[in-house]
Amino acid sequence: MTRLRLGTRGSRLARAQCQRVATDLQTRVPGLAVELVLIETFGDANADVPLTPALGQAFFTKEIEAALLEGRIDAAVHSCKDLATILPEGLRLVAIPPREDPRDVLVTRAGGLAQLPSGARVGTGSPRRRGFLAAARPDLALVDLRGNVPTRVAKVDEGVVDAAVLAAAGLLRLGMSDRIREWFEPALMTPAAAQGALAVQAREGDAATAALVAVIDHPDSHAEVAAERACLRRLEAGCHAPVGALGRVAREAISLDAALVGPDGVVRARAEGPVGDAEGLGARVAEDLLAQLGLESLRTADWAGPPPERLDV
């Protein structure tokens, strides 16, 4: 019997996501035994602390990646958008399963964004979501909101905030779609790169695990994620940069829409290309955004937060 140790965070959503990957693998690989290994990350251990640039990056992945490099697990399952723009040396993405809806949504007790009164408190810890919200409704009070998905929804129910912005994927995977009051279209709020996608990560050189996990890879989702992450890399956008990117595959072509919130408002770019050049497409869209800003890279823009660096985990 083949055994596979899958590492993941311990939150309800992370466990549900990892179990989905395990079930899909066992369906496709007869006789496979999968063990879920729960690992506490910095972001989980400090759930009430605002994740500021001073605290670094990879808040929800670093400890899991360390376990993978040390051989304590065979593969890791992440929410792909949590991964650092530049992966640690020795690790690679070996599968992107079929992607969930990548959009952001609004959770309120009643009504959508237009119905929120001036001064309503909207909770989010994301600079990207804050930027797009401020552009759409500058009269709202944007407040930091952290915690897992059920916790953030509970803050709305308790009246701590009037509304919260979350990824649709988390609510859908937890069976909480009834809490969605409004879906944000990408033209209003461009999703984070790789939002809605899961990523299975393995060690470089571990061909056996890579081949085992590759059976659940979804080529279209993988291409979309590749384009979006390539855009971030060319921008040199770290996890605090107010940047969104959304790829869409249709037949043999892929389109990429990207947007960022700069000092003078929202800047957008779009391009299309062959699926086989997803990463090249991402780089070209990033070049367009930078040209509009008059920058060589977001590395020189203080408003974009610290640039990405390869982590030593």
Side-chain angles (χ1 to χ4, degrees):
M1 178 182 289
T2 304
R3 294 186 177 275
L4 183 71
R5 297 167 298 169
L6 287 179
T8 188
R9 296 165 58 193
S11 72
R12 178 182 161 195
L13 176 59
R15 286 184 282 114
Q17 292 175 164
C18 195
Q19 185 58 59
R20 172 181 292 191
V21 168
T23 300
D24 287 349
L25 282 170
Q26 289 173 310
T27 298
R28 291 167 172 77
V29 184
L32 177 65
V34 180
E35 176 189 358
L36 271 59
V37 181
L38 305 184
I39 299 169
E40 185 177 52
T41 67
F42 177 89
D44 295 316
N46 297 273
D48 296 325
V49 178
L51 299 178
T52 63
L55 296 176
Q57 56 180 321
F59 305 117
F60 298 107
T61 62
K62 186 174 182 179
E63 290 78 8
I64 301 171
E65 291 175 321
L68 182 55
L69 284 169
E70 293 164 8
R72 290 185 278 127
I73 56 176
D74 304 306
V77 178
H78 305 282
S79 289
C80 195
K81 72 172 183 176
D82 290 341
L83 289 168
T85 306
I86 304 172
L87 295 181
E89 195 75 40
L91 299 180
R92 66 188 182 107
L93 299 185
V94 292
I96 304 292
R99 190 179 196 175
E100 186 56 90
D101 194 305
R103 288 176 292 176
D104 290 294
V105 296
L106 188 71
V107 174
T108 68
R109 291 185 294 281
L113 186 65
Q115 286 71 51
L116 290 174
S118 181
R121 292 166 56 84
V122 181
T124 175
S126 161
R128 174 188 61 86
R129 290 171 178 156
R130 283 174 174 260
F132 288 125
L133 280 172
R137 285 287 308 269
D139 59 321
L140 297 176
L142 305 179
V143 300
D144 191 71
L145 183 65
R146 287 211 50 223
N148 58 36
V149 171
T151 296
R152 283 179 282 165
V153 172
K155 296 295 185 183
V156 176
D157 293 340
E158 295 162 5
V160 176
V161 292
D162 299 300
V165 182
L166 294 88
L171 291 164
L172 294 172
R173 288 175 179 142
L174 290 176
M176 300 175 67
S177 61
D178 61 306
R179 299 311 312 270
I180 297 172
R181 292 292 174 265
E182 181 172 348
W183 294 77
F184 290 130
E185 292 305 316
L188 186 149
M189 184 176 293
T190 308
Q195 186 160 292
L198 302 181
V200 185
Q201 192 179 36
R203 290 181 292 276
E204 290 276 7
D206 186 353
T209 297
L212 178 67
V213 172
V215 299
I216 64 169
D217 186 62
H218 185 248
D220 286 356
S221 297
H222 207 139
E224 292 170 358
V225 166
E228 294 160 17
R229 286 178 55 81
C231 183
L232 292 191
R233 285 196 300 274
R234 175 58 192 92
L235 288 171
E236 295 192 273
C239 59
H240 296 280
V243 177
L246 179 61
R248 292 187 180 92
V249 171
R251 300 182 181 87
E252 298 301 316
I254 180 171
S255 63
L256 180 65
D257 291 271
L260 58 80
V261 186
D264 299 319
V266 179
V267 178
R268 299 184 182 276
R270 186 180 194 277
E272 298 180 1
V275 173
D277 188 33
E279 293 195 4
L281 176 67
R284 290 194 298 277
V285 169
E287 294 279 3
D288 188 346
L289 290 173
L290 291 170
Q292 293 181 60
L293 292 167
L295 297 173
E296 291 293 325
S297 160
L298 293 188
R299 184 176 288 272
T300 60
D302 292 340
W303 50 265
E309 306 291 349
R310 190 181 295 278
L311 292 179
D312 181 8
V313 300

mmCIF file of all heavy atoms in Angstrom, residues 23-64:
data_model
loop_
_atom_site.group_PDB
_atom_site.id
_atom_site.type_symbol
_atom_site.label_atom_id
_atom_site.label_comp_id
_atom_site.label_asym_id
_atom_site.label_seq_id
_atom_site.Cartn_x
_atom_site.Cartn_y
_atom_site.Cartn_z
ATOM 1 N N THR A 23 -9.279 12.750 -0.799
ATOM 2 C CA THR A 23 -10.347 11.922 -1.380
ATOM 3 C C THR A 23 -10.187 11.798 -2.889
ATOM 4 O O THR A 23 -10.347 10.700 -3.454
ATOM 5 C CB THR A 23 -11.720 12.524 -1.037
ATOM 6 O OG1 THR A 23 -11.874 12.561 0.388
ATOM 7 C CG2 THR A 23 -12.845 11.701 -1.642
ATOM 8 N N ASP A 24 -9.866 12.914 -3.547
ATOM 9 C CA ASP A 24 -9.669 12.874 -5.000
ATOM 10 C C ASP A 24 -8.508 11.958 -5.371
ATOM 11 O O ASP A 24 -8.577 11.200 -6.347
ATOM 12 C CB ASP A 24 -9.419 14.282 -5.541
ATOM 13 C CG ASP A 24 -10.671 15.141 -5.543
ATOM 14 O OD1 ASP A 24 -11.768 14.591 -5.318
ATOM 15 O OD2 ASP A 24 -10.553 16.359 -5.765
ATOM 16 N N LEU A 25 -7.434 12.028 -4.588
ATOM 17 C CA LEU A 25 -6.284 11.166 -4.863
ATOM 18 C C LEU A 25 -6.635 9.696 -4.666
ATOM 19 O O LEU A 25 -6.288 8.837 -5.487
ATOM 20 C CB LEU A 25 -5.118 11.549 -3.951
ATOM 21 C CG LEU A 25 -4.328 12.801 -4.346
ATOM 22 C CD1 LEU A 25 -3.377 13.203 -3.230
ATOM 23 C CD2 LEU A 25 -3.549 12.546 -5.632
ATOM 24 N N GLN A 26 -7.344 9.394 -3.584
ATOM 25 C CA GLN A 26 -7.688 8.003 -3.310
ATOM 26 C C GLN A 26 -8.663 7.445 -4.336
ATOM 27 O O GLN A 26 -8.659 6.244 -4.622
ATOM 28 C CB GLN A 26 -8.253 7.887 -1.894
ATOM 29 C CG GLN A 26 -7.181 8.094 -0.821
ATOM 30 C CD GLN A 26 -7.758 8.142 0.577
ATOM 31 O OE1 GLN A 26 -8.713 8.877 0.847
ATOM 32 N NE2 GLN A 26 -7.195 7.344 1.483
ATOM 33 N N THR A 27 -9.493 8.320 -4.900
ATOM 34 C CA THR A 27 -10.404 7.885 -5.961
ATOM 35 C C THR A 27 -9.638 7.476 -7.206
ATOM 36 O O THR A 27 -10.007 6.520 -7.902
ATOM 37 C CB THR A 27 -11.392 9.018 -6.305
ATOM 38 O OG1 THR A 27 -12.174 9.326 -5.151
ATOM 39 C CG2 THR A 27 -12.322 8.598 -7.445
ATOM 40 N N ARG A 28 -8.550 8.186 -7.476
ATOM 41 C CA ARG A 28 -7.787 7.952 -8.697
ATOM 42 C C ARG A 28 -6.621 6.982 -8.522
ATOM 43 O O ARG A 28 -6.095 6.466 -9.517
ATOM 44 C CB ARG A 28 -7.270 9.284 -9.241
ATOM 45 C CG ARG A 28 -8.378 10.189 -9.787
ATOM 46 C CD ARG A 28 -7.883 11.601 -10.016
ATOM 47 N NE ARG A 28 -8.873 12.426 -10.697
ATOM 48 C CZ ARG A 28 -9.937 12.947 -10.101
ATOM 49 N NH1 ARG A 28 -10.150 12.737 -8.811
ATOM 50 N NH2 ARG A 28 -10.794 13.687 -10.784
ATOM 51 N N VAL A 29 -6.190 6.771 -7.287
ATOM 52 C CA VAL A 29 -5.047 5.889 -7.022
ATOM 53 C C VAL A 29 -5.504 4.775 -6.078
ATOM 54 O O VAL A 29 -5.487 4.951 -4.852
ATOM 55 C CB VAL A 29 -3.868 6.672 -6.404
ATOM 56 C CG1 VAL A 29 -2.657 5.754 -6.228
ATOM 57 C CG2 VAL A 29 -3.505 7.877 -7.267
ATOM 58 N N PRO A 30 -5.922 3.648 -6.594
ATOM 59 C CA PRO A 30 -6.391 2.551 -5.742
ATOM 60 C C PRO A 30 -5.312 2.104 -4.747
ATOM 61 O O PRO A 30 -4.128 2.012 -5.092
ATOM 62 C CB PRO A 30 -6.691 1.436 -6.754
ATOM 63 C CG PRO A 30 -6.948 2.152 -8.040
ATOM 64 C CD PRO A 30 -6.032 3.337 -8.029
ATOM 65 N N GLY A 31 -5.736 1.881 -3.513
ATOM 66 C CA GLY A 31 -4.810 1.410 -2.493
ATOM 67 C C GLY A 31 -3.990 2.491 -1.821
ATOM 68 O O GLY A 31 -3.139 2.198 -0.972
ATOM 69 N N LEU A 32 -4.239 3.741 -2.167
ATOM 70 C CA LEU A 32 -3.478 4.836 -1.562
ATOM 71 C C LEU A 32 -4.003 5.146 -0.162
ATOM 72 O O LEU A 32 -5.206 5.352 0.026
ATOM 73 C CB LEU A 32 -3.566 6.093 -2.428
ATOM 74 C CG LEU A 32 -2.881 7.356 -1.877
ATOM 75 C CD1 LEU A 32 -1.377 7.163 -1.799
ATOM 76 C CD2 LEU A 32 -3.227 8.576 -2.745
ATOM 77 N N ALA A 33 -3.116 5.194 0.816
ATOM 78 C CA ALA A 33 -3.461 5.599 2.185
ATOM 79 C C ALA A 33 -2.945 7.011 2.404
ATOM 80 O O ALA A 33 -1.756 7.289 2.176
ATOM 81 C CB ALA A 33 -2.840 4.648 3.198
ATOM 82 N N VAL A 34 -3.818 7.915 2.812
ATOM 83 C CA VAL A 34 -3.435 9.316 3.007
ATOM 84 C C VAL A 34 -3.592 9.698 4.460
ATOM 85 O O VAL A 34 -4.636 9.450 5.082
ATOM 86 C CB VAL A 34 -4.290 10.256 2.127
ATOM 87 C CG1 VAL A 34 -3.877 11.711 2.355
ATOM 88 C CG2 VAL A 34 -4.148 9.897 0.657
ATOM 89 N N GLU A 35 -2.556 10.307 5.014
ATOM 90 C CA GLU A 35 -2.587 10.829 6.391
ATOM 91 C C GLU A 35 -2.538 12.347 6.335
ATOM 92 O O GLU A 35 -1.656 12.923 5.689
ATOM 93 C CB GLU A 35 -1.394 10.316 7.190
ATOM 94 C CG GLU A 35 -1.303 10.894 8.598
ATOM 95 C CD GLU A 35 -0.014 10.552 9.318
ATOM 96 O OE1 GLU A 35 0.818 9.817 8.742
ATOM 97 O OE2 GLU A 35 0.177 11.044 10.453
ATOM 98 N N LEU A 36 -3.488 13.000 7.005
ATOM 99 C CA LEU A 36 -3.463 14.453 7.112
ATOM 100 C C LEU A 36 -2.644 14.846 8.330
ATOM 101 O O LEU A 36 -2.904 14.384 9.445
ATOM 102 C CB LEU A 36 -4.887 15.010 7.245
ATOM 103 C CG LEU A 36 -5.637 15.349 5.940
ATOM 104 C CD1 LEU A 36 -5.757 14.129 5.052
ATOM 105 C CD2 LEU A 36 -6.995 15.932 6.239
ATOM 106 N N VAL A 37 -1.640 15.684 8.107
ATOM 107 C CA VAL A 37 -0.765 16.149 9.182
ATOM 108 C C VAL A 37 -1.054 17.628 9.397
ATOM 109 O O VAL A 37 -0.796 18.455 8.509
ATOM 110 C CB VAL A 37 0.718 15.937 8.833
ATOM 111 C CG1 VAL A 37 1.605 16.414 9.979
ATOM 112 C CG2 VAL A 37 0.992 14.464 8.515
ATOM 113 N N LEU A 38 -1.597 17.968 10.566
ATOM 114 C CA LEU A 38 -1.973 19.357 10.851
ATOM 115 C C LEU A 38 -0.786 20.100 11.442
ATOM 116 O O LEU A 38 -0.151 19.638 12.399
ATOM 117 C CB LEU A 38 -3.160 19.393 11.811
ATOM 118 C CG LEU A 38 -4.397 18.597 11.375
ATOM 119 C CD1 LEU A 38 -5.532 18.815 12.370
ATOM 120 C CD2 LEU A 38 -4.835 18.988 9.968
ATOM 121 N N ILE A 39 -0.499 21.279 10.890
ATOM 122 C CA ILE A 39 0.654 22.071 11.292
ATOM 123 C C ILE A 39 0.201 23.491 11.597
ATOM 124 O O ILE A 39 -0.460 24.131 10.775
ATOM 125 C CB ILE A 39 1.713 22.075 10.168
ATOM 126 C CG1 ILE A 39 2.202 20.643 9.897
ATOM 127 C CG2 ILE A 39 2.885 22.992 10.533
ATOM 128 C CD1 ILE A 39 3.045 20.523 8.642
ATOM 129 N N GLU A 40 0.544 23.970 12.775
ATOM 130 C CA GLU A 40 0.176 25.343 13.145
ATOM 131 C C GLU A 40 1.141 26.331 12.509
ATOM 132 O O GLU A 40 2.357 26.177 12.605
ATOM 133 C CB GLU A 40 0.199 25.521 14.662
ATOM 134 C CG GLU A 40 -0.302 26.897 15.093
ATOM 135 C CD GLU A 40 -0.355 27.060 16.605
ATOM 136 O OE1 GLU A 40 0.678 26.791 17.261
ATOM 137 O OE2 GLU A 40 -1.413 27.457 17.122
ATOM 138 N N THR A 41 0.605 27.339 11.857
ATOM 139 C CA THR A 41 1.429 28.362 11.223
ATOM 140 C C THR A 41 1.436 29.634 12.064
ATOM 141 O O THR A 41 0.624 29.808 12.980
ATOM 142 C CB THR A 41 0.896 28.695 9.819
ATOM 143 O OG1 THR A 41 -0.389 29.321 9.950
ATOM 144 C CG2 THR A 41 0.777 27.441 8.963
ATOM 145 N N PHE A 42 2.346 30.530 11.723
ATOM 146 C CA PHE A 42 2.440 31.804 12.442
ATOM 147 C C PHE A 42 1.116 32.555 12.375
ATOM 148 O O PHE A 42 0.640 33.094 13.373
ATOM 149 C CB PHE A 42 3.552 32.667 11.830
ATOM 150 C CG PHE A 42 3.679 34.023 12.459
ATOM 151 C CD1 PHE A 42 4.500 34.222 13.551
ATOM 152 C CD2 PHE A 42 2.964 35.114 11.960
ATOM 153 C CE1 PHE A 42 4.601 35.483 14.142
ATOM 154 C CE2 PHE A 42 3.058 36.364 12.541
ATOM 155 C CZ PHE A 42 3.885 36.551 13.642
ATOM 156 N N GLY A 43 0.510 32.575 11.209
ATOM 157 C CA GLY A 43 -0.745 33.301 11.050
ATOM 158 C C GLY A 43 -1.854 32.738 11.904
ATOM 159 O O GLY A 43 -2.690 33.485 12.427
ATOM 160 N N ASP A 44 -1.887 31.414 12.077
ATOM 161 C CA ASP A 44 -2.914 30.792 12.914
ATOM 162 C C ASP A 44 -2.640 31.021 14.398
ATOM 163 O O ASP A 44 -3.562 31.232 15.183
ATOM 164 C CB ASP A 44 -2.973 29.290 12.626
ATOM 165 C CG ASP A 44 -3.428 28.996 11.215
ATOM 166 O OD1 ASP A 44 -4.396 29.632 10.759
ATOM 167 O OD2 ASP A 44 -2.813 28.145 10.564
ATOM 168 N N ALA A 45 -1.369 30.970 14.784
ATOM 169 C CA ALA A 45 -1.011 31.140 16.193
ATOM 170 C C ALA A 45 -1.197 32.575 16.664
ATOM 171 O O ALA A 45 -1.290 32.831 17.865
ATOM 172 C CB ALA A 45 0.441 30.704 16.417
ATOM 173 N N ASN A 46 -1.243 33.512 15.735
ATOM 174 C CA ASN A 46 -1.390 34.930 16.067
ATOM 175 C C ASN A 46 -2.628 35.500 15.379
ATOM 176 O O ASN A 46 -2.567 36.516 14.675
ATOM 177 C CB ASN A 46 -0.133 35.695 15.640
ATOM 178 C CG ASN A 46 1.096 35.237 16.382
ATOM 179 O OD1 ASN A 46 1.406 35.720 17.460
ATOM 180 N ND2 ASN A 46 1.812 34.275 15.792
ATOM 181 N N ALA A 47 -3.750 34.834 15.606
ATOM 182 C CA ALA A 47 -4.981 35.162 14.883
ATOM 183 C C ALA A 47 -5.504 36.560 15.182
ATOM 184 O O ALA A 47 -6.287 37.099 14.394
ATOM 185 C CB ALA A 47 -6.062 34.128 15.200
ATOM 186 N N ASP A 48 -5.106 37.147 16.303
ATOM 187 C CA ASP A 48 -5.617 38.471 16.656
ATOM 188 C C ASP A 48 -4.624 39.588 16.351
ATOM 189 O O ASP A 48 -4.880 40.749 16.668
ATOM 190 C CB ASP A 48 -5.966 38.513 18.150
ATOM 191 C CG ASP A 48 -7.093 37.549 18.505
ATOM 192 O OD1 ASP A 48 -7.987 37.380 17.661
ATOM 193 O OD2 ASP A 48 -7.058 36.971 19.604
ATOM 194 N N VAL A 49 -3.500 39.241 15.745
ATOM 195 C CA VAL A 49 -2.464 40.224 15.458
ATOM 196 C C VAL A 49 -2.559 40.664 13.999
ATOM 197 O O VAL A 49 -2.543 39.806 13.103
ATOM 198 C CB VAL A 49 -1.056 39.629 15.720
ATOM 199 C CG1 VAL A 49 0.028 40.641 15.365
ATOM 200 C CG2 VAL A 49 -0.929 39.190 17.173
ATOM 201 N N PRO A 50 -2.662 41.957 13.714
ATOM 202 C CA PRO A 50 -2.666 42.400 12.313
ATOM 203 C C PRO A 50 -1.378 41.972 11.628
ATOM 204 O O PRO A 50 -0.282 42.147 12.165
ATOM 205 C CB PRO A 50 -2.747 43.930 12.429
ATOM 206 C CG PRO A 50 -3.373 44.178 13.770
ATOM 207 C CD PRO A 50 -2.848 43.081 14.659
ATOM 208 N N LEU A 51 -1.494 41.373 10.447
ATOM 209 C CA LEU A 51 -0.325 40.855 9.738
ATOM 210 C C LEU A 51 0.302 41.981 8.920
ATOM 211 O O LEU A 51 0.089 42.108 7.720
ATOM 212 C CB LEU A 51 -0.729 39.671 8.857
ATOM 213 C CG LEU A 51 -1.306 38.479 9.643
ATOM 214 C CD1 LEU A 51 -1.716 37.374 8.694
ATOM 215 C CD2 LEU A 51 -0.316 37.976 10.671
ATOM 216 N N THR A 52 1.104 42.784 9.592
ATOM 217 C CA THR A 52 1.720 43.947 8.968
ATOM 218 C C THR A 52 2.990 43.551 8.229
ATOM 219 O O THR A 52 3.563 42.482 8.463
ATOM 220 C CB THR A 52 2.078 44.990 10.043
ATOM 221 O OG1 THR A 52 3.056 44.421 10.922
ATOM 222 C CG2 THR A 52 0.843 45.382 10.857
ATOM 223 N N PRO A 53 3.479 44.418 7.333
ATOM 224 C CA PRO A 53 4.714 44.121 6.607
ATOM 225 C C PRO A 53 5.898 43.825 7.515
ATOM 226 O O PRO A 53 6.780 43.052 7.152
ATOM 227 C CB PRO A 53 4.941 45.391 5.780
ATOM 228 C CG PRO A 53 3.570 45.942 5.564
ATOM 229 C CD PRO A 53 2.831 45.646 6.839
ATOM 230 N N ALA A 54 5.914 44.429 8.711
ATOM 231 C CA ALA A 54 7.034 44.217 9.628
ATOM 232 C C ALA A 54 7.165 42.765 10.070
ATOM 233 O O ALA A 54 8.236 42.329 10.502
ATOM 234 C CB ALA A 54 6.876 45.123 10.852
ATOM 235 N N LEU A 55 6.072 41.999 9.949
ATOM 236 C CA LEU A 55 6.095 40.603 10.388
ATOM 237 C C LEU A 55 6.569 39.661 9.291
ATOM 238 O O LEU A 55 6.683 38.456 9.517
ATOM 239 C CB LEU A 55 4.698 40.188 10.865
ATOM 240 C CG LEU A 55 4.175 40.922 12.097
ATOM 241 C CD1 LEU A 55 2.750 40.487 12.409
ATOM 242 C CD2 LEU A 55 5.080 40.668 13.299
ATOM 243 N N GLY A 56 6.849 40.191 8.095
ATOM 244 C CA GLY A 56 7.378 39.345 7.029
ATOM 245 C C GLY A 56 6.314 38.870 6.062
ATOM 246 O O GLY A 56 5.372 39.581 5.757
ATOM 247 N N GLN A 57 6.468 37.623 5.574
ATOM 248 C CA GLN A 57 5.550 37.081 4.585
ATOM 249 C C GLN A 57 5.355 35.588 4.834
ATOM 250 O O GLN A 57 5.920 35.025 5.770
ATOM 251 C CB GLN A 57 6.095 37.313 3.167
ATOM 252 C CG GLN A 57 7.490 36.753 2.935
ATOM 253 C CD GLN A 57 7.985 36.999 1.525
ATOM 254 O OE1 GLN A 57 7.247 36.902 0.573
ATOM 255 N NE2 GLN A 57 9.266 37.311 1.387
ATOM 256 N N ALA A 58 4.543 34.963 4.011
ATOM 257 C CA ALA A 58 4.250 33.522 4.110
ATOM 258 C C ALA A 58 3.706 33.168 5.494
ATOM 259 O O ALA A 58 4.081 32.159 6.085
ATOM 260 C CB ALA A 58 5.489 32.693 3.787
ATOM 261 N N PHE A 59 2.776 33.984 5.986
ATOM 262 C CA PHE A 59 2.238 33.797 7.332
ATOM 263 C C PHE A 59 1.548 32.448 7.516
ATOM 264 O O PHE A 59 1.535 31.900 8.614
ATOM 265 C CB PHE A 59 1.217 34.902 7.645
ATOM 266 C CG PHE A 59 1.743 36.294 7.478
ATOM 267 C CD1 PHE A 59 1.203 37.144 6.530
ATOM 268 C CD2 PHE A 59 2.793 36.769 8.252
ATOM 269 C CE1 PHE A 59 1.673 38.438 6.361
ATOM 270 C CE2 PHE A 59 3.272 38.044 8.106
ATOM 271 C CZ PHE A 59 2.715 38.884 7.150
ATOM 272 N N PHE A 60 0.953 31.920 6.440
ATOM 273 C CA PHE A 60 0.164 30.699 6.561
ATOM 274 C C PHE A 60 0.817 29.496 5.878
ATOM 275 O O PHE A 60 0.171 28.464 5.723
ATOM 276 C CB PHE A 60 -1.236 30.924 5.972
ATOM 277 C CG PHE A 60 -2.015 31.993 6.686
ATOM 278 C CD1 PHE A 60 -2.229 33.222 6.089
ATOM 279 C CD2 PHE A 60 -2.514 31.771 7.957
ATOM 280 C CE1 PHE A 60 -2.939 34.214 6.754
ATOM 281 C CE2 PHE A 60 -3.227 32.766 8.625
ATOM 282 C CZ PHE A 60 -3.437 33.980 8.023
ATOM 283 N N THR A 61 2.064 29.637 5.481
ATOM 284 C CA THR A 61 2.698 28.534 4.742
ATOM 285 C C THR A 61 4.095 28.165 5.228
ATOM 286 O O THR A 61 4.551 27.050 4.985
ATOM 287 C CB THR A 61 2.802 28.879 3.243
ATOM 288 O OG1 THR A 61 3.631 30.048 3.076
ATOM 289 C CG2 THR A 61 1.429 29.153 2.640
ATOM 290 N N LYS A 62 4.797 29.069 5.876
ATOM 291 C CA LYS A 62 6.223 28.861 6.156
ATOM 292 C C LYS A 62 6.480 27.593 6.959
ATOM 293 O O LYS A 62 7.378 26.804 6.636
ATOM 294 C CB LYS A 62 6.792 30.081 6.884
ATOM 295 C CG LYS A 62 8.299 30.014 7.095
ATOM 296 C CD LYS A 62 8.838 31.303 7.697
ATOM 297 C CE LYS A 62 10.350 31.229 7.853
ATOM 298 N NZ LYS A 62 10.912 32.486 8.415
ATOM 299 N N GLU A 63 5.725 27.376 8.018
ATOM 300 C CA GLU A 63 5.946 26.203 8.861
ATOM 301 C C GLU A 63 5.629 24.900 8.120
ATOM 302 O O GLU A 63 6.276 23.864 8.331
ATOM 303 C CB GLU A 63 5.105 26.301 10.138
ATOM 304 C CG GLU A 63 5.560 27.369 11.114
ATOM 305 C CD GLU A 63 5.143 28.788 10.726
ATOM 306 O OE1 GLU A 63 4.355 28.935 9.755
ATOM 307 O OE2 GLU A 63 5.595 29.744 11.367
ATOM 308 N N ILE A 64 4.637 24.951 7.247
ATOM 309 C CA ILE A 64 4.289 23.766 6.459
ATOM 310 C C ILE A 64 5.397 23.478 5.447
ATOM 311 O O ILE A 64 5.790 22.318 5.241
ATOM 312 C CB ILE A 64 2.937 23.974 5.750
ATOM 313 C CG1 ILE A 64 1.842 24.234 6.786
ATOM 314 C CG2 ILE A 64 2.579 22.755 4.900
ATOM 315 C CD1 ILE A 64 0.514 24.655 6.186
#
